[in-house]
Amino acid sequence: MNYINEKKVNLLSQGNIIADRIVSYNSNEIDNLLKKYSKEIKSRIMLLDEKGIVINDSYDVLNGTKLEHWEVVEALKGKSVAREHELEGYGRVMYVTVPIILNNKVYGSVFISFSLEEVYNNVNKIMRNYFLLAMLCIVITGFISFIFAHVISTPIEKLTEGIKKMYQGNLEQKVEVIGNDELTNLAHAFNMMSTKLFQVDQQRKEFVANVSHELRTPLSAIKLLSESLMYEEKTAVETYREFLKDIVLEVNRLDKIIESLLALVDIDKGKLELNYEITYVNYLLEKLIHSLKPIAEQKKISIDFICSEKIQIELDRIKIQQALTNIIHNAIKYTPEGGKVDILLYSENDSVTIKVKDNGIGIPKESLPHIFERFYRVDKARARSTGGTGLGLSISKQIIELHQGEIEVTSEVDRGTVFYVRLPKNISIRS
Ligand SMILES: Nc1ncnc2c1ncn2[C@@H]1O[C@H](COP(=O)(O)OP(=O)(O)O)[C@@H](O)[C@H]1O
Ligand SMILES: [Mg+2]
């Protein structure tokens, strides 16, 4: 025990000091000295002669008595010693003896008797306090662990449950977690993910249903036309021609739908890789308008391209061409004979705008929010004659957004439509 050892060393050094000083004192002074030290270090101090007889006891009790303790014997041999004793009816004490040596001769010894009871009591008190503190710590730690386990494990259990359900195919899962910590954030992120997955799954199902429906319509027409030709007896050659013409029309429609579907697949792939090239947008538009001119001329529609500057930006030529062709083709398609289509190109602060304006049939207000949806057409019956699939604008929008651009539309029924395509001059993230 460190505390006791410390005391032992301390008492030994006190004994040494007394033994050193005592040599030069007379018996009266010695008496005072011993009493003074005795008070100071709270011990009984005795001066013994070379036979072990007490010359001076600070308690004035044992004067003249011969002490035969082991410590006394050792001291008379010239050794400083200290030992603990258990005294009946008194408790634990420490005896310390230091020899008084002069010119290599032992003249006697200083005997110190120190009660260790107080020290042990203090030590016990401290130990008890430590024990109580340790117990308290254990209780508090246990309590905190319990709270934490409850606070952390409950939301984690909920999340795990949600993930399991999602795995089983129920994509619309919500985990409710109250609070504002990392776990709540995780739960929010999980909820966002499940909502998104649910939406994507919903869109996928809708898309498959739409595709099947769209493919089926021309197919049933082809089936109907060919069956009626097959079962009709003595059909006139003109009727054959007419029916076959219709069949070819439907086949073309099928072909267009499949072509658009392949374009969509291509864009999905393109999300990973756009083939950026520095391109003059004005030349790209000129080329594009040139190739659409014959269609416009058929309907006696005039196309004008208005551009006052050469504008060069980075883009995926093939994809942007595809997007713009559809928008301009729409302008021609949905404008009656003799109409007018204007295409403007101009640059703004950090973007380039392509404006496609027609004076055609326009789009009703209620349809405007839907025209970029897959397979959406304002006039489904009419679409058969115009040959639309309803996929064009959704493809255009996706391509433009892949370029970090945006597409907007304003329209008025019977007056015309304007499409704005904005592309950034500097594309920040290269895919
Ligand atoms: N310039 C326009 N004028 C009027 N209506 C338009 C115009 N552009 C698009 N629309 C409407 O938006 C619908 C969707 O366009 P789009 O996705 O290109 O399909 P479509 O294959 O029918 O052209 C068209 O069916 C048409 O009703
Ligand atoms: Mg179109």
Side-chain angles (χ1 to χ4, degrees), residues 326 330 333-334 358 362-363 371 376-378 388-390 392-393 417:
N326 181 52
N330 279 350
K333 210 158 63 167
Y334 300 108
D358 68 54
I363 303 165
I371 56 167
Y376 185 85
R377 282 165 309 201
V378 174
T389 61
L393 279 181
T417 306

Side-chain angles (χ1 to χ4, degrees), residues 143-315:
F143 184 68
I144 291 174
S145 316
F146 176 76
I147 297 282
F148 263 89
H150 195 68
V151 165
I152 292 172
S153 73
T154 313
I156 288 180
E157 269 167 25
K158 279 190 192 168
L159 272 170
T160 315
E161 193 65 19
I163 291 168
K164 271 189 198 154
K165 280 191 185 147
M166 280 184 85
Y167 172 72
Q168 285 158 1
N170 307 315
L171 293 180
E172 208 183 14
Q173 290 301 321
K174 290 275 163 301
V175 176
E176 257 186 62
V177 178
I178 309 152
N180 190 21
D181 53 14
E182 280 81 357
L183 270 174
T184 333
N185 291 344
L186 180 65
H188 283 314
F190 172 83
N191 288 344
M192 262 153 57
M193 178 191 73
S194 75
T195 309
K196 186 76 202 172
L197 274 177
F198 182 71
Q199 281 171 358
V200 169
D201 193 51
Q202 233 24 40
Q203 279 169 3
R204 182 188 60 80
K205 283 179 184 154
E206 231 168 75
F207 182 67
V208 172
N210 279 336
V211 169
S212 320
H213 176 77
E214 292 299 322
L215 291 179
R216 206 167 191 169
T217 320
L219 268 180
S220 347
I222 292 167
K223 193 173 171 229
L224 203 78
L225 287 164
S226 33
E227 272 175 357
S228 50
L229 278 182
M230 220 163 70
Y231 298 125
E232 194 97 2
E233 279 172 30
K234 290 192 198 148
T235 316
V237 179
E238 293 81 60
T239 320
Y240 261 112
R241 282 246 161 76
E242 212 178 294
F243 275 39
L244 282 174
K245 223 171 93 190
D246 285 345
I247 290 175
V248 169
L249 262 177
E250 296 298 338
V251 169
N252 281 341
R253 219 172 118 65
L254 272 178
D255 195 39
K256 257 192 199 145
I257 294 173
I258 289 166
E259 194 190 326
S260 299
L261 286 175
L262 288 176
L264 274 176
V265 174
D266 218 36
I267 291 164
D268 278 338
K269 266 198 272 168
K271 273 181 187 157
L272 304 170
E273 41 181 279
L274 273 186
N275 184 20
Y276 283 107
E277 286 173 284
I278 295 184
T279 309
Y280 278 110
V281 187
N282 39 311
Y283 294 147
L284 182 121
L285 274 168
E286 268 171 24
K287 214 177 85 189
L288 219 151
I289 292 164
H290 184 75
S291 67
L292 285 170
K293 255 206 168 114
I295 307 172
E297 272 165 8
Q298 262 182 11
K299 290 178 77 180
K300 300 192 176 59
I301 289 172
S302 67
I303 300 192
D304 279 316
F305 178 43
I306 302 145
C307 166
S308 55
E309 54 183 323
K310 283 184 188 171
I311 298 173
Q312 211 179 23
I313 59 167
E314 275 189 287
L315 46 80

